[in-house]
Amino acid sequence: MIKVLTYGTFDLLHHGHIRLLERSRALGDHLTVAVSTDQFNLGKGKMCAYTYEERVHILRAIRYVDNVIPETDWEQKIDDVKNHDIDIFVIGDDWEGEFDFLKDYCKVLYLPRTPDISTTQVKEMLSNK
Ligand code: C2G
């Protein structure tokens, strides 16, 4: 069984997120998503529209997602890869190179982001209505 792992906030879920999850899942047989907690997001300078619990609930409903775990700090990735027997770490290429240290533990892939969509754009679109 090829196990895949990715991380993210996934606030105001949009098709860019779904395409990332779809492509990630297609790399193997099982996809774990580590969802940034509200506390961790503060560190990323992100104020989410949806709470951590709501974002977890939404992700669990997605056919491409097999497991959801919390992302609470930047230092957990190596342990997550080991503890969940991960074969492939994947994330959007806005993070290109940032997680190459994981190559000692698993395959590392950066997938092209979906153009012209982001949570920030969705928020701006809604606030301009
Ligand atoms: N994404 C994408 N295309 C977009 C928007 C997002 O492919 N138009 C991808 C991102 O590259 C990321 C995932 O969707 O792989 C989730 O995006 P965010 O919720 O913005 O996650 P981020 O804040 O990048 O968190 O430790 C890593 C961080 O937690 C990643």
Side-chain angles (χ1 to χ4, degrees):
M1 174 187 275
I2 304 289
K3 298 185 77 179
V4 184
L5 172 65
T6 192
Y7 291 74
T9 298
F10 296 99
D11 191 29
L12 294 178
L13 202 72
H14 54 68
H15 68 276
H17 294 138
I18 296 297
R19 287 190 71 251
L20 187 285
L21 296 170
E22 183 176 27
R23 286 175 292 160
S24 299
R25 178 64 177 75
L27 293 168
D29 309 293
H30 183 280
L31 174 62
T32 294
V33 180
V35 187
S36 312
T37 60
D38 296 332
Q39 185 62 34
F40 184 64
N41 274 320
L42 286 178
K44 289 200 274 187
K46 289 193 172 188
M47 281 295 289
C48 288
Y50 297 157
T51 65
Y52 170 72
E53 290 73 20
E54 289 164 342
R55 290 180 286 115
V56 167
H57 191 201
I58 290 166
L59 281 162
R60 285 203 169 119
I62 298 171
R63 69 174 64 187
Y64 307 119
V65 177
D66 299 289
N67 186 30
V68 178
I69 62 174
E71 178 182 30
T72 57
D73 70 65
W74 291 106
E75 305 310 316
Q76 72 182 74
K77 291 184 175 67
I78 293 174
D79 285 342
D80 289 345
V81 168
K82 289 178 181 173
N83 297 339
H84 294 270
D85 302 315
I86 298 300
D87 302 288
I88 305 171
F89 166 87
V90 59
I91 200 162
D93 62 4
D94 45 318
W95 292 93
E96 184 78 38
E98 291 297 322
F99 304 114
D100 286 356
F101 65 87
L102 290 172
K103 285 180 178 175
D104 294 335
Y105 305 93
C106 64
K107 199 170 169 188
V108 175
L109 286 176
Y110 301 98
L111 299 177
R113 271 176 75 92
T114 302
D116 308 324
I117 183 74
S118 69
T119 301
T120 306
Q121 278 176 264
V122 172
K123 284 179 177 176
E124 284 164 1
M125 194 167 43
L126 293 172
S127 60
N128 295 337
K129 287 261 185 235

